[in-house]
Amino acid sequence: MFVGLSFTDPVKLFDVTGRRVLITGAGSGIGFALAHGLGAAGAHVILNGRNQDKLESAKAKLAEAGIAVEIAAFDVSDANALETAVASIEAEGPIDVLINNAGTNVRGRMADISADAFRTVMGSNAEGLFLTSRAVSVHMQKRKAGKIINICSALSKLGRKGAVAYSGSKAAAAMMTASMCDELAGDNIQINGIAPGYFLTELTQAIKDDPDHEAWLMARTPAARWGQLEELVGAAIFLSSDASSFVNGHVLTVDGGLTSVMGG
């Protein structure tokens, strides 16, 4: 049962000091940026990814910034490995916050996307989110406390040519956020999403390198620029903290206005 918050120092509502945060797909890109931001804010971050070497490199980079993290290498689409890893992490301490960030993409017209490629995108972006949330939420329910943040996308609600696999997977992420809220909110678990617009990462470099697509994006986005990865950190801190204790089933869009207007 919710016991209430103190408003004697409202800044403390955003305090994430000591919270154990598992971030999937945290070896680079958005996941790494969120790990850096939450770690700098005092959270105890656990980096996940499939590649142990990549995670070790990310851990070393964070250490250079004075941020100590743990790593847990496993594939979110491998249910057995996932269950084992979550149990091991929980044995060391509770997962207070889960950030489902692991994902991949394949661009192209439907006729050029193989069934295997489509399954790979859905397996990581949608099935992996489901499996990880299922494994972690069981423990959160026992404690009657927890937060799950699903990294969605502007393409959770907008379609775009060449993005049928990715947009389908991210629409699934947004709708699972809503359904998970209905199922778990009564156990004092807040399930929300963050929907980034266009941020420069390994997955979006091809767009940046395409002059026509770059011109379209600048015209289409009211802010007329790419988002900087650190601009996602505030949303993650808010949704990881007590400040969002009555925010549930919401997808917070961080896109420079891209999805709010008709654009050019």
Side-chain angles (χ1 to χ4, degrees):
M1 183 175 68
F2 182 67
V3 295
L5 299 170
S6 171
F7 291 96
T8 56
D9 185 357
V11 174
K12 289 185 178 179
L13 292 174
F14 297 89
D15 188 8
V16 294
T17 302
R19 296 203 172 182
R20 288 170 55 83
V21 183
L22 172 61
I23 306 177
T24 67
S28 61
I30 289 174
F32 179 81
L34 297 183
H36 191 290
L38 284 162
H44 181 99
V45 177
I46 303 151
L47 307 180
N48 159 260
R50 292 178 297 178
N51 188 312
Q52 180 80 22
D53 290 340
K54 191 173 184 178
L55 291 176
E56 293 286 0
S57 177
K59 180 179 180 179
K61 290 177 183 176
L62 291 170
E64 290 176 0
I67 301 169
V69 300
E70 294 182 38
I71 58 176
F74 59 87
D75 185 342
V76 297
S77 64
D78 183 337
N80 291 332
L82 170 60
E83 294 281 353
T84 299
V86 168
S88 178
I89 295 168
E90 281 279 338
E92 297 295 324
I95 298 173
D96 300 305
V97 182
L98 165 65
I99 301 182
N100 284 307
N101 171 73
T104 189
N105 191 11
V106 56
R107 294 186 180 86
R109 295 179 178 274
M110 287 191 292
D112 299 323
I113 297 176
S114 69
D116 285 343
F118 181 81
R119 292 190 193 100
T120 296
V121 174
M122 296 301 290
S124 178
N125 299 6
E127 184 180 4
L129 183 154
F130 164 74
L131 292 173
T132 311
S133 298
R134 184 182 68 176
V136 173
S137 65
V138 169
H139 299 278
M140 290 179 170
Q141 284 181 288
K142 292 175 182 177
R143 292 189 290 270
K144 300 296 182 183
K147 291 176 178 289
I148 298 175
I149 303 170
N150 297 324
I151 302 302
C152 302
S153 169
L155 294 184
S156 291
K157 59 181 179 179
L158 293 178
R160 179 149 178 80
K161 180 174 64 179
V164 64
Y166 186 77
S167 61
S169 70
K170 289 302 184 178
M175 291 314 300
M176 281 192 282
T177 299
S179 293
M180 288 162 60
C181 163
D182 197 22
E183 182 171 336
L184 301 175
D187 290 318
N188 191 33
I189 302 170
Q190 292 84 54
I191 303 92
N192 294 289
I194 298 174
Y198 283 81
F199 287 76
L200 190 58
T201 68
E202 293 176 1
L203 293 181
T204 58
Q205 186 62 52
I207 296 172
K208 180 70 174 177
D209 294 340
D210 181 340
D212 291 337
H213 204 159
E214 170 78 354
W216 168 84
L217 179 59
M218 293 303 99
R220 179 67 177 79
T221 305
R225 65 176 177 85
W226 286 78
Q228 302 298 310
L229 287 174
E230 57 267 28
E231 292 179 299
L232 293 168
V233 172
I237 289 176
F238 168 61
L239 294 176
S240 297
S241 71
D242 288 340
S244 59
S245 61
F246 203 53
V247 179
N248 223 325
H250 177 67
V251 177
L252 176 57
T253 302
V254 185
D255 68 354
L258 176 72
T259 59
S260 297
V261 299
M262 292 184 65

